[in-house]
Amino acid sequence: MRDVAARAGVSAKTVSRVFNDDPHVLPETRAKIEQIMRELNYVPNVLATTFRSGKTSAIGVAVPDIVDPYFAAIARAVDDVARKRGVATLLTNLGDDPARERDVLESLLSRRLAGLIVAPIGVDHSWLKRWTESTPVVFVDRSPTGLPADIFTDNDEAGGHQATSHLIGHGHKRIAYVGDSFHLSTEVNRLAGYRRALTEAGLGFDEALVASYVKDRDSTRAAVERLMALPGRPTAVFSSNARSSMLLLRALPEASVAVVGFGDFPLADLLRPALTVVDQDPDQIGLLAAGRVFERADFPKRRLKRTNVLDVTLIERESCKVARP
Amino acid sequence: MRDVAARAGVSAKTVSRVFNDDPHVLPETRAKIEQIMRELNYVPNVLATTFRSGKTSAIGVAVPDIVDPYFAAIARAVDDVARKRGVATLLTNLGDDPARERDVLESLLSRRLAGLIVAPIGVDHSWLKRWTESTPVVFVDRSPTGLPADIFTDNDEAGGHQATSHLIGHGHKRIAYVGDSFHLSTEVNRLAGYRRALTEAGLGFDEALVASYVKDRDSTRAAVERLMALPGRPTAVFSSNARSSMLLLRALPEASVAVVGFGDFPLADLLRPALTVVDQDPDQIGLLAAGRVFERADFPKRRLKRTNVLDVTLIERESCKVARP
DNA sequence: TTGTAGGCGTTATCAG
DNA sequence: CTGATAACGCCTACAA
């Protein structure tokens, strides 16, 4: 900037004004400076600007796993919204270690972002309080713990209920539940919905039918073997998330049990049998969360509903129809 | 920091020293300061540090589309490497407008990252030159244009040749090529491989068999209809990328033509027929690219091979066997 | 319309 | 081993 100012025979402040579209600059002065900026290939130091002003024109997104199409879709939806406002989106992977969540998030927050959207993996977010005083933080998919904050999530309980009821409607009486970890609000709620559906149908809840650590090929295989060897062998399975569904389809003996999954994913409809799913709307969640971040930033005092639950819908395909009991 | 220094009765510099593990601090002074830092919940301002030092402990990754599992895998692999070194990864979506590529990348670079990994969408990267003087930039998947730079890419030509030869081996003589845009080096090379295989087999290259704008449902449908109505109707298709493959499988009349795709994707093996693919190794690319960034950062003078081409391998499944001519 | 002074939080330098 | 001072590049406030 110094060089530009020197070459143009003006002060640094005037150069700064040109960049910030300050109207109080003579057109000719402006033209000259712009010319020299191009020549010198000058790009203002965003860092210095941010440092000085305390805010960057970027929002952060943190998700457990960027490879998961659900989170990728949320991230892209956020990016679309931010892009329209000329704001950059910085995405980061949380990984699978809850203990590192704080480090990763603070590394983002310390860049003085204009906002942060997070699908958490941790079990305590009270430490986030001091950050929320200066940066709007919006949760997606999973609720925060120990912190009041904006959250956009799916109606997991209703979805679990819908999926299970649908299988019951197809005549199944022994329905297994397959999921991964239980420290997430989503899983807890989906299991609750599953349980309620069973109870309402007078089927009763059997703990043996719950397989809760389906995370990779081995654990999936083990879970399937255990379930299939059960005295009252299940004729149907409710898979509580897309990752588990994909693993399950690989491990299940072909067309041996009916399946309904929570969460649609690419190609689910091209499988044989095509997978019946409870469809979430990650694009919508990303859209709303990004909108909320900007709304909080623009109108800090506005009172808004913190908890926002989106409806889910069942997409009936074929996998719920196989193996009628 | 000021508060901490005041409370500890030392200067700011000493506090700074404690943070930077400077050995020239009395253990008791250090203990006292650490104590007070905890009490005050002091977190150093990364921005100020970066601003001052000119380098952040973060690397950037920019990809065309984060929803594409290939790019998501690269990003996660990079993150894994960076995480082990205690470096954060900032990911960003380039989108589909080549004109915006520069803005997005400069917004990343101006944060003074320790390095940048980019799968470009643009057609000119000469402007990046001034940045590469201060920041290691490594390309992945697609080559840069107008700029010498590190690049890790698949052997696209060999892959195209392999896929096409494989179909020829199954007796096909009319093999279509389906891809998306042609301004990418990857597509150009895959087409070249396709062409070479045809020529080597004495089959000749027929421009009518090339469908180059398969980007969404409509364009895919149109392309398939055109190809199927051709006088010499193709009995096989080489799809030059995973996105096109997924679209194609949806649009193709069931089991009507043999297919080999470039790029594996989740569930490709569970489809009926299971898709035969040329397998890339995005994890490996991410790993190598991240390694190179750090190597360039640590040893600026070391001479390294710029262009790095990774081998691809054909995974034979079923889709290449249907519709034998 | 343009310029000057001061400071954002940290660290390098050099002195004590 | 510790401290004072200056500087990183920019912007706000104020002055000319």
Side-chain angles (χ1 to χ4, degrees):
Chain A
M1 179 151 124
R2 200 161 273 177
D3 297 345
V4 176
R7 290 256 291 219
V10 299
S11 81
K13 177 66 226 188
T14 306
V15 177
S16 159
R17 276 196 255 263
V18 170
F19 238 92
N20 296 296
D21 291 324
D22 187 317
H24 302 286
V25 182
L26 278 181
E28 42 196 18
T29 314
R30 175 185 302 273
K32 185 172 177 185
I33 293 177
E34 280 173 344
Q35 160 74 14
I36 295 177
M37 290 197 302
R38 258 190 303 280
E39 274 173 27
L40 263 46
N41 231 309
Y42 165 70
V43 181
N45 185 331
V46 178
L47 229 51
T49 310
T50 305
F51 176 47
R52 178 65 239 255
S53 69
K55 277 296 171 199
T56 327
S57 186
I59 65 174
V61 178
V63 298
D65 181 10
I66 194 57
V67 173
D68 186 322
Y70 176 74
F71 294 121
I74 291 180
R76 192 169 61 179
V78 170
D79 187 49
D80 287 344
V81 174
R83 190 165 294 230
K84 282 200 190 100
R85 301 185 53 135
V87 172
T89 303
L90 265 21
L91 181 55
T92 200
N93 224 1
L94 252 18
D96 48 18
D97 181 3
R100 302 208 45 174
E101 181 179 64
R102 179 169 177 173
D103 274 353
V104 178
L105 292 182
E106 282 196 322
S107 143
L108 267 182
L109 286 161
S110 65
R111 286 164 217 282
R112 301 293 191 266
L113 300 171
L116 176 66
I117 292 170
V118 49
I121 58 170
V123 289
D124 172 39
H125 301 100
S126 54
W127 60 270
L128 255 168
K129 190 150 198 310
R130 60 176 286 270
W131 290 105
T132 58
E133 282 154 21
S134 58
T135 309
V137 176
V138 174
F139 285 76
V140 288
D141 189 42
R142 306 158 181 186
S143 305
T145 318
L147 180 85
D150 288 323
I151 158 83
F152 290 85
T153 186
D154 297 302
N155 196 334
D156 294 305
E157 204 274 345
H161 181 268
Q162 235 177 106
T164 312
S165 298
H166 189 78
L167 286 167
I168 293 170
H170 277 287
H172 296 279
K173 302 207 181 319
R174 296 283 290 169
I175 304 171
Y177 175 99
V178 166
D180 49 17
S181 43
F182 270 143
H183 69 271
L184 301 175
S185 63
T186 48
E187 293 275 323
V188 171
N189 293 333
R190 290 168 199 177
L191 181 66
Y194 160 84
R195 202 165 171 157
R196 178 163 65 89
L198 292 177
T199 309
E200 284 176 7
L203 288 175
F205 172 76
D206 179 357
E207 194 138 1
L209 287 174
V210 174
S212 48
Y213 290 95
V214 167
K215 291 179 128 59
D216 48 40
R217 291 207 179 199
D218 290 341
S219 55
T220 310
R221 183 175 310 276
V224 167
E225 275 172 16
R226 184 180 71 72
L227 289 171
M228 291 307 156
L230 241 37
R233 179 177 168 281
T235 57
V237 183
F238 166 47
S239 163
S240 78
N241 65 75
R243 249 160 317 139
S244 296
S245 301
M246 298 191 215
L247 287 163
L248 195 64
L249 293 175
R250 227 174 266 288
L252 234 37
E254 200 153 337
S256 56
V257 291
V259 179
V260 175
F262 199 115
D264 201 5
F265 49 86
L267 303 180
D269 58 325
L270 282 192
L271 299 172
R272 287 292 124 74
L275 187 68
T276 294
V277 296
V278 173
D279 188 33
Q280 306 167 278
D281 193 345
D283 291 328
Q284 184 66 7
I285 291 204
L287 188 80
L288 293 172
R292 175 61 60 90
V293 160
F294 289 121
E295 199 172 359
R296 288 280 184 210
D298 296 342
F299 312 101
K301 294 187 248 183
R302 193 174 281 184
R303 309 203 66 202
L304 299 164
K305 194 142 127 285
R306 281 253 163 82
T307 304
N308 306 273
V309 178
L310 280 73
D311 283 338
V312 293
T313 54
L314 190 100
I315 302 180
E316 175 160 7
R317 294 202 271 243
E318 298 153 14
S319 68
C320 54
K321 296 175 192 157
V322 305
R324 298 196 70 135
Chain B
M1 178 153 123
R2 197 160 276 175
D3 298 345
V4 176
R7 290 253 293 218
V10 298
S11 80
K13 178 66 219 186
T14 305
V15 177
S16 161
R17 277 195 254 263
V18 170
F19 236 92
N20 296 297
D21 290 323
D22 187 318
H24 302 288
V25 182
L26 277 182
E28 43 196 14
T29 314
R30 175 183 301 273
K32 184 173 179 186
I33 293 177
E34 280 174 344
Q35 160 74 14
I36 295 176
M37 289 197 301
R38 257 191 303 282
E39 274 172 25
L40 263 47
N41 227 306
Y42 165 68
V43 181
N45 185 330
V46 178
L47 227 52
T49 309
T50 305
F51 175 46
R52 180 65 237 251
S53 69
K55 277 296 173 200
T56 326
S57 184
I59 66 174
V61 178
V63 297
D65 181 11
I66 193 54
V67 173
D68 187 322
Y70 176 73
F71 294 121
I74 291 181
R76 194 170 59 179
V78 170
D79 187 48
D80 287 343
V81 175
R83 190 166 296 231
K84 282 200 190 100
R85 301 184 51 135
V87 172
T89 303
L90 265 22
L91 179 56
T92 200
N93 224 359
L94 252 19
D96 47 18
D97 181 3
R100 302 209 44 176
E101 181 180 64
R102 178 168 178 174
D103 274 353
V104 177
L105 291 183
E106 283 196 321
S107 142
L108 266 183
L109 286 162
S110 65
R111 286 166 218 281
R112 305 294 140 111
L113 301 172
L116 177 65
I117 292 169
V118 50
I121 58 170
V123 290
D124 172 41
H125 301 101
S126 53
W127 59 269
L128 254 169
K129 188 149 199 308
R130 60 176 288 270
W131 289 105
T132 58
E133 283 153 23
S134 58
T135 309
V137 176
V138 174
F139 285 75
V140 288
D141 188 44
R142 306 158 182 188
S143 305
T145 319
L147 179 85
D150 288 324
I151 158 85
F152 290 87
T153 186
D154 296 302
N155 197 334
D156 294 305
E157 205 273 346
H161 181 267
Q162 235 176 107
T164 312
S165 297
H166 188 78
L167 287 167
I168 294 171
H170 276 287
H172 295 278
K173 302 207 180 320
R174 295 284 290 169
I175 303 170
Y177 175 99
V178 166
D180 48 18
S181 42
F182 271 142
H183 69 271
L184 300 176
S185 63
T186 48
E187 294 275 323
V188 171
N189 293 334
R190 290 168 198 177
L191 181 65
Y194 159 84
R195 202 164 171 158
R196 177 162 66 87
L198 293 177
T199 309
E200 284 177 7
L203 288 176
F205 172 76
D206 180 357
E207 193 138 4
L209 286 174
V210 174
S212 50
Y213 290 95
V214 166
K215 291 178 129 59
D216 49 38
R217 292 206 177 198
D218 290 342
S219 54
T220 309
R221 182 176 310 276
V224 168
E225 275 173 16
R226 184 180 73 71
L227 289 169
M228 291 307 155
L230 241 39
R233 180 177 167 282
T235 57
V237 183
F238 166 46
S239 163
S240 78
N241 65 74
R243 248 159 319 138
S244 295
S245 301
M246 297 192 216
L247 288 162
L248 195 64
L249 293 176
R250 227 174 264 287
L252 233 38
E254 199 153 339
S256 55
V257 290
V259 180
V260 174
F262 198 115
D264 201 6
F265 49 85
L267 304 181
D269 58 324
L270 282 191
L271 299 172
R272 288 292 124 76
L275 188 68
T276 294
V277 296
V278 173
D279 188 31
Q280 307 167 278
D281 193 346
D283 291 327
Q284 184 67 4
I285 292 204
L287 187 80
L288 293 171
R292 176 59 61 91
V293 161
F294 289 120
E295 198 173 359
R296 288 279 184 210
D298 297 342
F299 312 102
K301 295 188 246 187
R302 194 173 281 185
R303 309 202 66 201
L304 299 164
K305 192 141 129 287
R306 281 256 163 81
T307 303
N308 305 273
V309 178
L310 279 72
D311 283 339
V312 293
T313 54
L314 190 100
I315 301 180
E316 174 160 9
R317 294 202 273 242
E318 299 154 12
S319 67
C320 54
K321 297 175 192 159
V322 306
R324 298 197 71 133

